[in-house]
Amino acid sequence: MDRQRDSATQADESPRDVRYWWVNHKRTHRQELDGEFLWSPKRKQSSADNESSKNMAKIMPGDVVFAFSFTGGTLRAIGVALERAREAPNPFDAGMTRKVSSGHWGWQVTVRFAELSRPWRPKDHAAELASLLPERNSPLRPSGDANPAIYLAAVPQKMAATVRRLVGEEVDTLVNEIMQRAGGQFADDVAEAATMQPP
């Protein structure tokens, strides 16, 4: 019982200067994980697309990204943003481009991903997560299914702490490994980004 309490307390002590994001990968899951990037078109097709595009521009170095794959309905990987968003052409091939969007330019963020040893299903924890979801532009529905209208969503701190606790220590282990591999210059970039964040 004490161990469970300690684990929950530790999860709630998420660093305040680290922000969390949730990306819902559809057809581009493998390409974005292997290529270590996120990409969202600038041309808005809906209000949800507009919110995702705005969120891309808010990502800072050191932010943590939960990567969800529609295939199997699982959280498959954890990522760390290595830089801020930059303008970039659509990186997908012509056939994929038609399915992703009609936009040729968008925002791209370099994110180094590491895959979880065991994919995690939010649907199995829907009851616990439901009250923690954002009121608007949530990446998940109360059922635990992904919201197909959302590509990138901000994750509230309490939701992030709960996901970290439910997934387990591997989340923090992978984040630390990614940040260590990124090197000293990255640590300086993270520190600089922290001073730029709104309170």
Side-chain angles (χ1 to χ4, degrees), residues 21 29-33 37 56 59 62 64 66 69 73 83 98 118 120 122-123 126 134 137 152 160 187 193:
W21 305 91
H29 173 260
R30 194 70 264 163
Q31 287 148 299
E32 292 189 75
L33 258 60
F37 69 90
M56 289 284 285
I59 293 179
V64 174
F66 296 125
S69 169
E83 60 183 19
R98 285 193 293 273
R118 283 195 329 180
W120 179 78
K123 198 171 180 66
N137 301 305
L152 182 70

Side-chain angles (χ1 to χ4, degrees), residues 92-176:
F92 306 107
D93 61 61
M96 184 67 72
T97 296
R98 285 193 293 273
K99 296 176 182 178
V100 173
S101 76
S102 58
H104 297 294
W105 280 84
W107 294 114
Q108 185 165 316
V109 177
T110 299
V111 179
R112 183 161 295 164
F113 289 105
E115 298 197 42
L116 293 166
S117 58
R118 283 195 329 180
W120 179 78
R121 280 172 48 87
K123 198 171 180 66
D124 295 340
H125 307 276
E128 188 168 358
L129 292 171
S131 64
L132 305 175
L133 300 176
E135 291 184 11
R136 298 179 64 240
N137 301 305
S138 174
L140 294 175
R141 292 174 169 161
S143 63
D145 294 311
N147 180 352
I150 297 293
Y151 172 70
L152 182 70
V155 178
Q157 286 289 335
K158 287 186 177 180
M159 178 181 168
T162 299
V163 171
R164 288 170 58 221
R165 174 175 57 79
L166 292 172
V167 175
E169 295 179 359
E170 190 176 13
V171 171
D172 293 329
T173 298
L174 293 178
V175 167
N176 290 334

Side-chain angles (χ1 to χ4, degrees), residues 4 8-9 17-19 29 50 60 80 106 108 122 135 143 153 176 191:
Q4 289 180 334
T9 301
D17 58 339
V18 173
R19 291 183 299 182
H29 173 260
N50 188 40
M60 292 285 191
V80 176
Q108 185 165 316
E135 291 184 11
S143 63
N176 290 334

